[in-house]
Amino acid sequence: MKSDAEHIDEFAAWIEGVMRARGYDIDSPRGGGKTRLAEDAGVHRAAITRLLQRQSMPDLETMRGLSRALGIPVRDVLIRSGKLTEQDLPQAPAPPEAGAAPADHGLSAEQAATALGIPEHLRAAFVQITEQLRLGTTGPAIPEAGADGQAGT
């Protein structure tokens, strides 16, 4: 098991590389890159300095700010920091590719209607509209439901 100092050192080394790759001059003795990064991240410059000097691990708000400023997922920052593991933050499943067959989707339109609690008398319209949207096609206009929830005639 790694000590806190080892976690800080590894995390700081990784984040320094990301900072440099994103164009922040963190090595300048004048501190311009650190100041700019702190401003971009919405954190105090001292938090950046403490991290780069391996004095302390950033708090959650600083990690969120660094994530935004550096354009990296907060998930990666939290895992690299050792605060959480990949098991704590599993990857979200990738969205289905465009043009994928309906069987590749997580839910059919009918299943979605059930999951969303669409009333039985509106289900056919829901399914038709959903399929039209999914396929990017247009079909005949579907009559709007009246106040009683029934399709107009």
Side-chain angles (χ1 to χ4, degrees):
M1 187 150 175
K2 293 180 185 174
S3 69
D4 288 344
E6 289 172 314
H7 276 295
I8 292 170
D9 191 50
E10 283 184 18
F11 179 70
W14 172 73
I15 203 90
E16 282 176 356
V18 175
M19 291 172 183
R20 288 184 185 104
R22 300 297 192 272
Y24 290 98
D25 181 13
I26 58 172
D27 302 308
S28 169
R30 298 179 75 186
K34 294 174 205 158
T35 300
R36 187 169 65 92
L37 176 58
E39 289 171 359
D40 292 350
V43 301
H44 291 284
R45 186 181 182 281
I48 304 297
T49 300
R50 283 191 303 270
L51 171 61
L52 295 176
Q53 292 177 350
R54 276 94 166 140
Q55 293 175 349
S56 67
M57 188 66 77
D59 63 16
L60 180 58
E61 285 307 310
T62 300
M63 288 187 190
R64 282 183 179 154
L66 287 171
S67 170
R68 279 190 312 271
L70 297 172
I72 51 179
V74 72
R75 177 186 187 276
D76 294 352
V77 175
L78 291 169
I79 291 170
R80 289 290 195 135
S81 73
K83 295 287 184 186
L84 295 172
T85 66
E86 290 194 41
Q87 291 74 31
D88 295 328
L89 295 171
Q91 280 281 31
E97 293 184 29
D104 294 339
H105 292 284
L107 294 175
S108 69
E110 190 65 45
Q111 291 168 323
T114 301
L116 291 169
I118 304 296
E120 201 60 47
H121 64 278
L122 296 175
R123 198 160 289 200
F126 175 86
V127 169
Q128 183 179 1
I129 292 169
T130 302
E131 286 301 310
Q132 287 175 354
L133 291 170
R134 189 182 65 77
L135 298 173
T137 61
T138 58
I142 297 175
E144 291 187 27
D148 61 358
Q150 298 294 320
T153 54

